[in-house]
């Protein structure tokens, strides 16, 4: 099929590339000329395992094309995906200005019946707004062209987005016509040769499904972090509690790992947007507000532990930080706990030596820009030199089995604050390291600070 994807951010670029990989002819559109020129040269603006090679291969075969001109992309396309950002507004609601701007452009430039697909994460009712925006432009043209608006929310996980796109566990599609359903079945048929996990429903339900899914996962994370805080106070071990409840098949182990809070482009924004959507319909979502409140507080837990150990005034102290991205296998720092933790430490007078395999550029140029108390290191062990303690924030693979002897040797004080509960407490203590976890009372070695 001939497909246009408007927006070459995380969702748009991955989606368009994977459609091209299956043999479709895809035009990816973006108003950012520098980004489009870079993509034509094989320069990928995000880190996602496997994406660069797939883009290069499909661009070389002309299955994947890049342009700043939406009219060029729509010239031959049958389906147009809207995959632009929906940033969080000041009140927490989703900002739809970019979505509706694309809808307006489609109405201006479409030349045949068009299937317009909302791929961006949008609140319930957005498809109708898209429909109105397109029809308004068609009316200005005195055009009788027809179109269908479809909701097809994305469920990509950063770090495994290619696999999620090529082998999806389900694809949710909201339609209001048999014609639209047939077109989407044709587009997604190559992805489901051995099963049929296409789930068709009405458009409002599809829009709601995305928010409900992310809010459920965020709820599990905040619930487990709430349990971890209780465990620490009553003397229980949250790691053992997690195993105990996760073994219940009704609960399972997914998303019940304690930590220093969730971040990224989806969970924080989508929870807030659903809260605001509920409010706009006269409903107060007490549970989701609590999920958000717990997560905000959880980003402060490691800072609290550091101050309990070293005092509120951290002047003259230096802390090594492992991990800046909100999760491993991505360079995305949006809403990352590292932003809060490092900012709080430096505000208290500390200096930070930070290392991350992929996100240093993002930190330096955007999220921690201007913080002159942060030094960026080229390796995890370089960050340890002359530091008073190590703080682990992101669970990258290279942090899973470090040299604890080297950690103890390089740190001025062998103290480790683990925001992801990565290690066995007794084993770490054997190296003379004082080890602090989330939701567990610390095991102290004979360390004098």
């Amino acid at each position: 099929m001939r497909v246009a994807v408007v927006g070459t951010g995380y969702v748009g670029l991955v989606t368009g590339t994977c459609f091209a990989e299956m043999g479709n002819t895809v035009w990816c559109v973006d108003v950012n000329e520098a980004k489009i020129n870079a993509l034509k040269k094989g320069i990928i603006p995000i880190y996602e395992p496997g994406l660069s090679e797939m883009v290069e291969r499909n661009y070389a075969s002309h299955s994947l094309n890049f342009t700043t001109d939406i009219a060029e992309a729509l010239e031959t396309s049958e389906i147009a995906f809207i995959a632009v950002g929906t940033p969080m507004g000041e009140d927490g609601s989703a900002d739809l200005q970019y979505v509706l701007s694309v809808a307006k452009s489609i109405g201006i430039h479409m030349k045949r019946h068009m299937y317009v697909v909302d791929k961006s994460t949008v609140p319930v009712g957005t498809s109708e707004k898209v429909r109105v925006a397109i029809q308004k432009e068609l009316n200005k043209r005195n055009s009788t062209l027809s179109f269908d608006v479809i909701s097809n929310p994305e469920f990509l996980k950063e770090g495994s987005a290619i696999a999620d796109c090529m082998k999806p566990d389900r694809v949710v599609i909201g339609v209001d016509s048999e014609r639209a359903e047939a077109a989407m079945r044709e587009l997604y048929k190559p992805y489901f040769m051995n099963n049929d996990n296409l789930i068709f429903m009405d458009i409002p339900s599809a829009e709601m499904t995305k928010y409900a899914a992310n809010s459920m996962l965020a709820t599990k994370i905040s619930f487990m972090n709430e349990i971890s805080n209780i465990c620490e106070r009553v003397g229980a071990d949250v790691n053992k509690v997690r195993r105990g409840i996760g073994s219940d098949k009704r609960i399972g182990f997914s998303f019940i790992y304690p930590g220093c809070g969730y971040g990224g482009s989806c969970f924080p924004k989508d929870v807030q947007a659903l809260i605001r959507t509920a409010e706009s319909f006269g409903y107060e979502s007490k549970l989701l507000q609590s999920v958000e409140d717990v997560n905000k507080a959880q980003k402060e837990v490691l800072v609290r532990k550091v101050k309990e150990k070293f005092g509120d005034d951290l002047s003259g102290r230096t802390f090594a930080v492992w991990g800046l991205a909100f999760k491993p296998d991505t360079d995305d720092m949006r809403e990352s706990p590292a932003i809060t933790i490092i900012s709080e430490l430096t505000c208290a007078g500390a200096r930070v030596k930070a290392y991350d395999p992929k996100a240093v550029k993002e930190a330096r140029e955007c999220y921690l820009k201007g913080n002159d108390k942060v030094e960026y290191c080229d390796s995890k062990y370089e960050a340890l030199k002359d530091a008073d303690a190590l703080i682990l924030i992101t669970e990258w693979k290279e942090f899973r089995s470090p040299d604890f002897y080297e950690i103890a040797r390089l740190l001025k004080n062998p103290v480790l604050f683990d925001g992801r509960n990565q290690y066995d407490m007794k084993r770490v203590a054997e190296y003379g390291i004082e080890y602090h976890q989330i939701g567990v009372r610390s095991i102290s070695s004979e360390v004098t600070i």
Side-chain angles (χ1 to χ4, degrees), residues 308-341:
E308 286 175 353
K309 180 66 184 177
F310 293 98
D312 291 339
D313 184 0
L314 299 176
S315 300
R317 298 289 186 182
T318 298
F319 297 97
V321 168
W322 284 3
L324 296 168
F326 86 94
K327 63 178 288 188
D329 295 319
T330 182
D331 61 353
D332 193 346
M333 279 190 66
R334 284 173 288 184
E335 301 290 335
S336 172
I339 301 170
T340 299
I341 293 167

Side-chain angles (χ1 to χ4, degrees), residues 26-44:
V26 178
W27 284 88
C28 284
V29 187
D30 203 291
V31 295
N32 188 328
E33 186 174 356
K35 181 189 285 188
I36 290 298
N37 289 336
L39 285 167
K40 289 178 178 179
K41 296 175 183 178
I43 302 171
I44 309 302

Side-chain angles (χ1 to χ4, degrees), residues 209-395:
T209 296
K210 169 66 174 181
Y211 281 113
N214 280 351
S215 295
M216 169 63 84
L217 297 175
T219 299
K220 292 185 73 174
I221 294 171
S222 282
F223 171 81
M224 204 64 210
N225 283 332
E226 185 93 305
I227 293 298
S228 75
N229 292 324
I230 298 172
C231 284
E232 185 172 341
R233 286 159 176 76
V234 302
D237 185 333
V238 71
N239 301 304
K240 295 175 181 177
V241 173
R242 179 187 62 80
R243 290 178 61 192
I245 66 173
S247 299
D248 187 327
K249 293 181 179 179
R250 296 171 301 174
I251 299 173
F253 287 100
S254 297
F255 289 86
I256 63 166
Y257 288 82
C260 46
Y262 59 75
S265 63
C266 293
F267 289 4
K269 176 172 68 71
D270 293 354
V271 170
Q272 279 289 329
L274 188 51
I275 290 171
R276 299 297 169 254
T277 297
E279 287 178 351
S280 70
F281 284 87
Y283 181 77
E284 181 185 2
S285 180
K286 296 179 181 179
L287 176 59
L288 292 181
Q289 187 59 59
S290 295
V291 168
E292 179 69 12
D293 292 343
V294 168
N295 188 63
K296 183 178 180 181
Q298 196 67 18
K299 294 180 179 181
E300 305 277 354
V301 169
L302 282 182
V303 177
R304 172 179 59 79
K305 287 177 174 288
V306 169
K307 289 183 176 180
E308 286 175 353
K309 180 66 184 177
F310 293 98
D312 291 339
D313 184 0
L314 299 176
S315 300
R317 298 289 186 182
T318 298
F319 297 97
V321 168
W322 284 3
L324 296 168
F326 86 94
K327 63 178 288 188
D329 295 319
T330 182
D331 61 353
D332 193 346
M333 279 190 66
R334 284 173 288 184
E335 301 290 335
S336 172
I339 301 170
T340 299
I341 293 167
I342 291 174
S343 297
E344 289 290 326
L345 291 174
T346 56
C347 282
R351 302 192 66 84
V352 169
K353 299 178 69 178
Y355 169 72
D356 187 284
K358 295 295 178 182
V360 166
K361 181 180 179 181
E362 291 290 307
R364 181 185 284 120
E365 297 182 1
C366 184
Y367 296 99
L368 295 171
K369 183 179 180 180
N371 191 333
D372 59 5
K373 293 183 179 180
V374 181
E375 173 188 348
Y376 299 99
C377 301
D378 294 328
S379 75
K380 59 180 182 286
Y381 294 120
E382 179 188 344
L384 300 177
K385 296 176 183 178
D386 298 320
D388 289 281
L390 167 62
I391 302 171
L392 189 149
I393 298 176
T394 313
E395 64 275 33

Side-chain angles (χ1 to χ4, degrees), residues 89-193:
E90 292 184 3
D91 63 350
S93 61
D95 185 345
L96 298 178
Q97 63 173 311
Y98 305 113
V99 170
L100 297 180
S101 176
V102 173
K104 178 180 178 180
S105 295
I106 291 172
I108 293 171
H109 297 291
M110 60 185 282
K111 294 185 176 182
R112 61 183 54 77
H113 179 87
M114 187 68 63
Y115 297 100
V116 181
V117 185
D118 282 330
K119 197 69 173 173
S120 302
T121 299
V122 294
V124 176
T126 300
S127 289
E128 187 56 36
K129 294 179 180 180
V130 167
R131 191 189 310 276
V132 169
I134 295 173
Q135 189 61 58
K136 182 178 180 180
E137 297 306 318
L138 290 175
N139 291 343
K140 289 180 181 179
R141 296 165 53 188
N142 294 318
S143 173
T144 59
L145 287 174
S146 59
F147 63 95
D148 285 280
V149 177
I150 299 165
S151 176
N152 178 209
E154 57 86 16
F155 296 97
L156 305 179
K157 299 186 293 293
E158 294 190 43
S160 61
I162 297 296
D164 292 341
C165 200
M166 298 300 290
K167 297 180 179 179
D169 51 6
R170 89 289 201 198
V171 173
V172 173
I173 302 174
V175 295
D176 58 8
S177 75
E178 293 182 359
R179 175 175 58 185
E181 179 175 337
M184 296 303 283
R185 283 194 182 277
E186 181 181 353
L187 179 64
Y188 278 108
K189 183 178 179 181
Y191 297 92
F192 295 104
M193 301 302 290

